[in-house]
DNA sequence: GTGAAAGCGCTAACAC
DNA sequence: GTGTTAGCGCTTTCAC
């Protein structure tokens, strides 16, 4: 029971490369070479170094390596809300892809607050080699102010014009067009849109596409959460819509729930469509017709584009991915006559 | 091509503290003092430094600060699967709480692979001041091997015995007991459990509690995803169970879907219960009775416990949180029990 | 109050 | 092949 700070890093001071060098009777440079897999070292020494190194429980400090090498092998990703099922999938694909290339990912959640987002961007920028801004909510002017020129950055799931950085986006407008076509084929004429947050550029895209091809659609300001969908659904029904397009699946879930409590049959009386295709879309009842956004691809591609920049392959790419309409049970032929007999009184606040 | 590294970090070299010092006509030490809010500097100089600093677009490198201060103000969190709705909520609460204390969070997703998990733990350990292991899947021996003594660590949502690190857990067994009591009150006698992954300690807890109070329950190996729940549900029905307890909500969703396709009414013929209480639980149909795990609290508390360790407040804490049963529509009186002749299937005409 | 100097732990020329 | 020597960008005694 004597001082045994040998096996596996002792409680006290951390083991450094100097400790290993000393114990192994070589220079720090040699230790560094061995541990970084350089083949220019005498096999005997190399073996000794490796042995001492593991006996001492030595683990090189990534911080120090970062300083010395001028690259931390860490990137940052800023998201508005990790609790929104859309983002974890993107972040997961991103971290896994980056991890395969030896990069760690710092995740920052702005909680849908543009101010906080700006702060996080600046903060994270100080400690990473590159940055992914996922659906940033901040205004373009603010964004321009905090995005560091010189720091490889890709803006994901938001179109910024003129482009501020490389970008990976999804053609939301096309998704909306597909929805409109689908509903038209089913005979729907009176359509309502439960709009997302004004700060969301996806929402702007969808709204734009909607108004372009369906100028008389009823637009109801809603939000991005189920509760908000629940609150807005009644208004859509009141407006006599036979089809309700929702900003995202979460909102659609809320709408579905509300319509059920109102006794409005889906899709017999009203059709409902979402955006995202989160996993639960396949398990609500009726299962949800929705526009599938390639979330994993978004994350993976974001990393690839960022990696190119990190590698100095300059030219900011601008990739655009395509969504696909997934038709399930929540959409059907339009009811013969618009409107329904149900009294739609109360509307929850918020 | 003259060097114009003046206004806002030029394309080339990054602006360092030395640049600021030179332009402001002071020493680097003074710049450091000013920017770190020390009040021992001549206000005039301080003002000049601040001005030059922002004019040059200087942002201290967190990497270099980390090396110099011996702390990176970054912690790591390793999760099995960010796509499982349970984890994003924990991670979100964790990152937000840590962020308030000025800490960044590196997120690593092991994709449910114990091998990968071990690798990630070691990798992340090299670049952080502390570590949160969220529901680690690796074996205890492996875990013991890679968890660095000396690196503040908290193990969340998994009981390790004997304790390897500080821990924050949820008393899953109590949750299971509440479920059993609830089902007993409803008259259920024949109960099936769709078990989670063997590597999950939550599953072990639940299974243990189940077998202790209900030795003759039918246990069906299942997994943690909806698909798996879908696959196992038929077996539960075949076994004549009037109530199905599912490892988690995702599995319950799958079971719900399968029972529907089998024409089994929930809860009239079979009751279904989940674990977690993910947001969608309130939007499936019927809405899901489930054991709510305090996910946000888990994340927040994990940070607090870790922070205490970082602050040197030694003694590894061991916090245990309580789950609560949330009764919704998916559970009801056991078939055949007096008082429940009503068919509850108000399914909208599909 | 302010500057000079010595590191933090590591890597990478550059000698030998 | 291997050791020596400079740094990477910052903080922090310690003199002045």
């Amino acid at each position: 029971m004597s001082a045994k700070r040998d096996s596996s890093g002792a409680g006290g001071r951390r083991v450094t490369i100097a400790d290993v060098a000393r114990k192994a009777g070589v220079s720090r440079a040699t230790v560094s070479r061995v541990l970084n897999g350089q083949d220019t070292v005498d096999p005997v020494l190399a073996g000794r170094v490796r042995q001492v190194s593991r006996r001492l429980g030595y683990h090189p400090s990534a911080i120090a390596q970062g300083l010395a090498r001028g690259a931390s092998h860490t990137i940052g990703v800023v998201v508005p809300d990790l609790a929104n099922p859309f983002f974890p999938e993107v972040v997961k694909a991103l971290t896994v892809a980056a991890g395969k290339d030896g990069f760690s990912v710092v995740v920052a959640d702005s909680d849908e607050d543009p101010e906080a987002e700006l702060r996080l961007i600046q903060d994270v920028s100080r400690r990473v080699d590159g940055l992914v801004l996922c659906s940033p909510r901040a205004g373009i002017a603010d964004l321009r102010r905090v995005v560091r020129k010189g720091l490889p950055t890709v803006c994901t799931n938001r179109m910024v014009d003129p482009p501020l950085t490389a970008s990976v986006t999804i053609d939301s407008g096309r998704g909306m067009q597909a929805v409109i076509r689908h509903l038209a084929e089913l005979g729907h004429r009176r359509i309502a849109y439960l709009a997302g947050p004004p700060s969301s550029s996806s929402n702007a895209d969808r709204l734009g596409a909607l108004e372009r091809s369906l100028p008389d659609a009823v637009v109801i300001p809603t939000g991005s959460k189920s509760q908000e969908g629940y609150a807005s659904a009644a208004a859509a029904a009141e407006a006599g819509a036979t089809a309700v397009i929702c900003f995202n699946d979460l909102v659609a879930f809320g709408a579905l729930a509300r319509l059920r409590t109102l006794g409005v049959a889906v899709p017999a009386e009203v059709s409902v469509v979402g955006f995202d295709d989160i996993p639960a879309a396949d398990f609500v009842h009726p299962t949800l017709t929705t526009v599938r956004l390639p979330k994993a691809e978004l994350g993976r591609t974001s990393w690839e584009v960022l990696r190119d920049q990190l590698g100095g392959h300059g030219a900011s790419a601008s990739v655009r991915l395509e969504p696909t309409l997934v038709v399930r049970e929540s959409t059907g032929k339009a009811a013969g006559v618009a409107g329904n007999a149900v009294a739609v009184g109360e509307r929850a606040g918020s």
Side-chain angles (χ1 to χ4, degrees), chain A residues 43-58:
Chain A
V44 179
L45 284 193
R48 205 195 307 161
V49 166
R50 261 187 283 270
Q51 193 195 323
V52 171
S53 161
R54 57 196 327 279
R55 193 160 59 76
L56 256 42
Y58 170 65

Side-chain angles (χ1 to χ4, degrees), chain A residues 1 5 17 29 73 80 103 114 135 157 174 188 194 222-223 336 343:
Chain A
M1 321 219 169
R5 68 157 104 69
I17 198 172
H73 272 201
F103 275 71
S135 311
N157 200 35
R174 287 224 358 201
H188 293 275
L194 305 192
T222 302

Side-chain angles (χ1 to χ4, degrees), chain A residues 2-319:
Chain A
S2 54
K4 50 163 161 199
R5 68 157 104 69
D6 272 354
S7 53
S8 83
R13 208 176 108 281
R14 95 168 267 154
V15 183
T16 81
I17 198 172
D19 299 325
V20 178
R22 200 176 317 116
K23 280 266 192 196
V26 299
S27 73
R28 297 174 331 192
T30 296
V31 176
S32 176
R33 287 183 188 114
V34 173
L35 269 38
N36 287 313
Q38 293 198 28
D39 50 323
T40 69
V41 179
D42 183 318
V44 179
L45 284 193
R48 205 195 307 161
V49 166
R50 261 187 283 270
Q51 193 195 323
V52 171
S53 161
R54 57 196 327 279
R55 193 160 59 76
L56 256 42
Y58 170 65
H59 299 276
S61 152
I63 297 285
Q65 286 182 322
L67 225 211
R69 297 208 250 243
S72 63
H73 272 201
T74 300
I75 63 167
V77 52
V78 181
V79 297
D81 179 16
L82 217 44
N84 176 336
F86 178 83
F87 297 107
E89 291 208 46
V90 177
V91 171
K92 182 186 174 94
L94 182 68
T95 60
V96 170
K100 280 182 182 147
D101 289 322
F103 275 71
S104 296
V105 180
V106 169
V107 175
D109 185 316
S110 71
D111 219 12
E112 296 281 3
D113 176 355
E115 295 291 319
E117 182 178 278
L118 293 169
R119 237 173 300 127
L120 288 173
I121 291 175
Q122 300 187 80
D123 210 66
V124 171
S125 292
R126 303 199 307 118
R127 55 182 75 246
V128 298
D129 297 340
L131 195 56
V132 174
L133 303 178
C134 197
S135 311
R137 305 303 201 206
I140 181 165
D142 286 332
L143 232 37
R144 185 176 308 281
R145 195 162 46 72
V146 302
V147 167
R148 287 238 269 290
K149 220 177 176 74
L151 183 71
T153 304
V154 13
C155 184
T156 287
N157 200 35
R158 165 158 171 191
M159 214 50 184
V160 171
D161 196 46
L164 185 54
T165 64
S167 71
V168 181
T169 53
I170 297 174
D171 197 338
S172 253
R174 287 224 358 201
M176 181 57 96
Q177 286 166 15
V179 169
I180 293 171
R181 210 175 312 124
H182 172 61
L183 292 176
E185 282 167 4
L186 292 171
H188 293 275
R189 319 280 318 197
R190 186 108 185 113
I191 293 178
Y193 175 55
L194 305 192
S199 59
S200 159
S201 79
S202 306
N203 181 60
D205 287 357
R206 291 166 203 173
L207 198 53
L210 178 72
E211 293 180 329
R212 236 170 290 123
S213 45
L214 228 57
D216 56 343
V218 181
V219 176
I220 303 171
T222 302
S224 62
K225 300 185 175 163
S226 295
Q227 267 184 311
E228 299 167 322
Y230 189 91
S232 290
E238 273 172 27
T242 64
V244 180
I245 304 175
C246 304
F247 170 63
N248 66 18
D249 290 351
L250 253 25
V251 168
F253 292 173
L256 242 30
R258 182 55 169 280
L259 292 173
R260 194 197 322 279
T261 69
L262 292 174
V264 177
V266 176
E269 298 176 69
V270 169
S271 287
V272 174
V273 184
F275 272 83
D276 285 359
D277 192 31
I278 62 181
D282 213 7
F283 291 101
V284 291
H285 183 69
T287 57
L288 188 69
T289 291
T290 187
V291 175
R292 171 178 300 161
L293 306 187
K295 298 167 282 296
E297 199 180 350
L298 200 63
R300 209 179 319 119
T301 307
S302 295
W303 164 243
E304 286 162 4
V305 169
L306 185 59
R307 184 186 51 192
D308 285 352
Q309 278 187 77
L310 289 169
H313 297 260
S316 286
S318 170
V319 180

Side-chain angles (χ1 to χ4, degrees), chain A residues 320-346:
Chain A
R320 201 157 180 75
L321 305 176
E322 294 298 328
T324 54
L325 179 67
V326 178
V327 178
R328 297 205 183 88
E329 301 167 355
S330 67
T331 46
K333 290 233 169 74
V337 184
N340 56 63
V342 186
V344 182
E346 20 78 78

